[in-house]
Amino acid sequence: MQTPREILADLWTLAGGDPSALDAVTLTGEEPQLPSSFRVAAAAQASIAAAGLAAAQIWKLRSGQDQDVAVDMRHAVVECRSERYLRVDGQSPPPAWDAIAGVYKTRDRRFVRLHTNFPHHRDAVCKVLNCQPVRDDVQAALMQWDGEAFETAAYAGGCVVAMMRSHDEWSDLPHAKALAGLPLISIDKIGEAAPKPWPAGDRPLAGLRVLDLSRVIAGPVAGRTLAVHGADVLLISGPDLPAIPWLTIDTGRGKLTSFIELKSEEGRDSLRALLAQADIFSQGYRPHALASLGFSPQEAAQISPGIVYVTLSAYGHAGPWAERRGFDSLVQTATGFNHAEGQAAGIDGPKELPAQMLDHATGYLMAFGAMMARVRQSREGGSWHVRVSLAQTGRWLWNMGRMADGFKTEDLRGDAVRPFLEQVPSGFGPLSCVSHSAVLSKTPAFWARPAMPLGSHPPQWPR
């Protein structure tokens, strides 16, 4: 198996980094850190280190100064569970899942997972099943369905679900075969533009303007990571768009937050004005959702020549599942992780990874790709499109190999986590939250702005 350092080196060279820069990185800690048969701690450390090293390299381009980057493995894996350690005014998080979310059996003895945290997704499931939003009713209704038939009908009905597959079953699907030919991160030139100079500033990303159009974990973590290195990150949401409040708080650190109604022409005009002055446009909606509103990668490059456009999807941009909605828990279920963890733990049924690792690692890879694309823009000019997906991150994690005795590891308790917590103010009250795990020797990572309720700021860039 590759060491975490070798995994990082592969990430760095994939994105076009100078191999000599890796000499500045120190990785500490040993696997395993959490009870799992997968190398979740290595994935956490490598993805966060890649983003930290990209920030350090940008600082070198801006200032001529070298600096060291250090990432501790335990701190990194704790940061990849940041939402569970967040406390608001001393209060623990509310239940993470809707009442009918989770795993059910079907008529053919398969398992399916439902994601119903957003009301419209819950309503869609109940419509397909013709049942009430009560667990026993949902289970009874699913016993009238075979697993794959329900999965297909549910997606057609606007639901967000997945049937549990073994990794072999997943690998046999045409979609998995389409993904096998794609890189973990793709960085492609999509238009011509002059190189953009780096703005003045005393932090790696100071003066860079980032539009963050994302929800839940992966996309918001990318924005939070760019903010921790000094970028002006403006989170765009809609007043009627559902959100998960606890995640909004945890991933909102360092960001400005505005409401724009993109279904109105006035709202689209407002976003176009912001985009014209942006450096990075990071979005996590389904592949054609923003394109239908006039904000495809190619249209963004026309509005803002030199833009770095970052696209997050659940199942990747190629293959028959490219348009499917999905979240970390569902991609784990569909691609073999839940089946493999269940087998390794000796249980009959699915078992989740001990962190939303596909989400968190993908978020750091998004930020890493965005920074590396911005470096290329500064040297070569052009507009750039960065693409990542939860499924591709899953393939990366799977290919790292397995931990034979991973489930003998104790989960992390309070004393192990406490050194990585910081106390900060916010628009929600005092927060106890996980600090950033990439330590840069000359430009320390920190969030300069507090987390605030959605829509707290006007839709304009800071002067």
Side-chain angles (χ1 to χ4, degrees):
M1 291 193 297
Q2 286 187 307
T3 66
R5 188 169 195 86
E6 290 168 337
I7 295 167
L8 171 62
D10 282 352
L11 284 176
W12 187 247
T13 54
L14 170 66
D18 179 355
S20 66
L22 291 160
D23 295 339
V25 179
T26 300
L27 303 179
T28 55
E30 299 293 333
E31 297 176 89
Q33 292 285 334
L34 295 176
S36 175
S37 67
F38 289 94
R39 300 181 66 193
V40 291
Q45 186 178 44
S47 58
I48 292 171
L53 183 57
Q57 285 299 291
I58 288 175
W59 180 245
K60 183 176 181 179
L61 287 174
R62 296 178 70 152
S63 70
Q65 293 181 328
D66 289 305
Q67 63 177 322
D68 297 327
V69 178
V71 181
D72 176 72
M73 183 177 284
R74 177 164 291 183
H75 193 170
V77 84
V78 166
E79 191 170 13
C80 287
R81 303 206 297 185
S82 58
E83 65 278 358
R84 70 173 64 187
Y85 301 123
L86 176 68
R87 300 291 181 268
V88 180
D89 205 8
Q91 298 299 306
S92 299
W97 297 99
D98 175 70
I100 66 166
V103 173
Y104 296 85
K105 286 187 176 180
T106 56
R107 180 172 57 194
D108 57 345
R109 299 183 179 182
R110 300 299 297 250
F111 292 94
V112 294
R113 185 182 296 280
L114 313 183
H115 195 293
T116 56
N117 278 8
F118 291 145
H120 63 294
H121 291 156
R122 180 181 60 234
D123 294 346
V125 165
C126 292
K127 183 176 180 180
V128 169
L129 293 176
N130 191 26
C131 71
Q132 295 299 309
V134 178
R135 287 198 74 86
D136 288 348
D137 290 3
V138 173
Q139 180 59 81
L142 278 165
M143 292 310 291
Q144 309 305 310
W145 288 82
D146 289 342
E148 191 166 6
F150 168 70
E151 182 186 56
T152 301
Y155 271 111
C159 309
V160 191
V161 308
M163 184 181 78
M164 186 177 81
R165 291 171 173 81
S166 70
H167 188 252
D168 286 345
E169 288 178 316
W170 165 253
S171 299
D172 283 341
L173 292 180
H175 188 78
K177 292 175 181 176
L179 292 186
L182 300 179
L184 173 61
I185 307 169
S186 62
I187 303 176
D188 300 304
K189 189 175 181 181
I190 56 170
E192 297 299 329
K196 295 168 72 170
W198 297 102
D202 58 0
R203 304 184 66 195
L205 305 185
L208 293 189
R209 293 170 166 177
V210 179
L211 283 170
D212 180 355
L213 281 78
S214 65
R215 292 182 292 173
V216 193
I217 296 179
V221 163
R224 185 180 72 183
T225 305
L226 297 171
V228 85
H229 294 297
D232 290 320
V233 179
L234 178 56
L235 174 64
I236 300 298
S237 185
D240 300 320
L241 202 61
I244 300 174
W246 204 258
L247 298 180
T248 298
I249 299 170
D250 183 52
T251 62
R253 288 175 281 161
K255 301 179 186 179
L256 302 163
T257 168
S258 298
F259 284 146
I260 295 180
E261 179 49 79
L262 291 179
K263 293 179 181 177
S264 73
E265 187 57 40
E266 181 183 3
R268 292 191 290 274
D269 284 344
S270 180
L271 185 60
R272 276 190 284 268
L274 290 167
L275 174 57
Q277 300 179 60
D279 296 280
I280 296 169
F281 185 98
S282 180
Q283 72 95 11
Y285 293 94
R286 284 195 302 148
H288 296 300
L290 287 178
S292 68
L293 299 172
F295 297 100
S296 69
Q298 290 72 23
E299 288 166 317
Q302 292 177 347
I303 295 167
S304 184
I307 194 72
V308 172
Y309 190 109
V310 185
T311 296
L312 162 70
S313 62
Y315 291 103
H317 61 272
W321 285 27
E323 290 294 318
R324 285 203 174 186
R325 300 172 179 86
F327 297 100
D328 178 306
S329 58
L330 301 179
V331 177
Q332 284 190 42
T333 303
T335 61
F337 284 99
N338 284 184
H339 176 263
E341 286 281 75
Q343 285 196 323
I347 65 172
D348 177 25
K351 183 173 179 58
E352 302 84 1
L353 294 171
Q356 300 267 59
M357 187 49 62
L358 308 187
D359 258 336
H360 282 274
T362 300
Y364 293 113
L365 294 174
M366 288 174 74
F368 169 56
M371 286 186 272
M372 298 302 280
R374 182 61 180 84
V375 168
R376 292 180 71 171
Q377 205 291 327
S378 73
R379 290 171 169 163
E380 305 171 30
S383 299
W384 297 83
H385 189 196
V386 178
R387 287 181 288 191
V388 300
S389 72
L390 301 180
Q392 284 296 83
T393 298
R395 193 162 72 92
W396 175 66
L397 174 59
W398 190 285
N399 289 339
M400 287 182 197
R402 306 284 294 277
M403 306 293 291
D405 296 320
F407 277 104
K408 293 182 179 178
T409 304
E410 291 271 329
D411 206 342
L412 296 176
R413 305 297 177 195
D415 287 347
V417 173
R418 198 165 293 117
F420 311 124
L421 300 178
E422 59 184 9
Q423 317 303 314
V424 298
S426 81
F428 304 90
L431 303 185
S432 175
C433 47
V434 180
S435 62
H436 190 50
S437 54
V439 178
L440 279 64
S441 61
K442 291 184 179 172
T443 59
F446 66 93
W447 290 286
R449 295 185 172 100
M452 296 294 291
L454 294 176
S456 289
H457 304 99
Q460 61 189 41
W461 294 113
R463 297 181 182 277

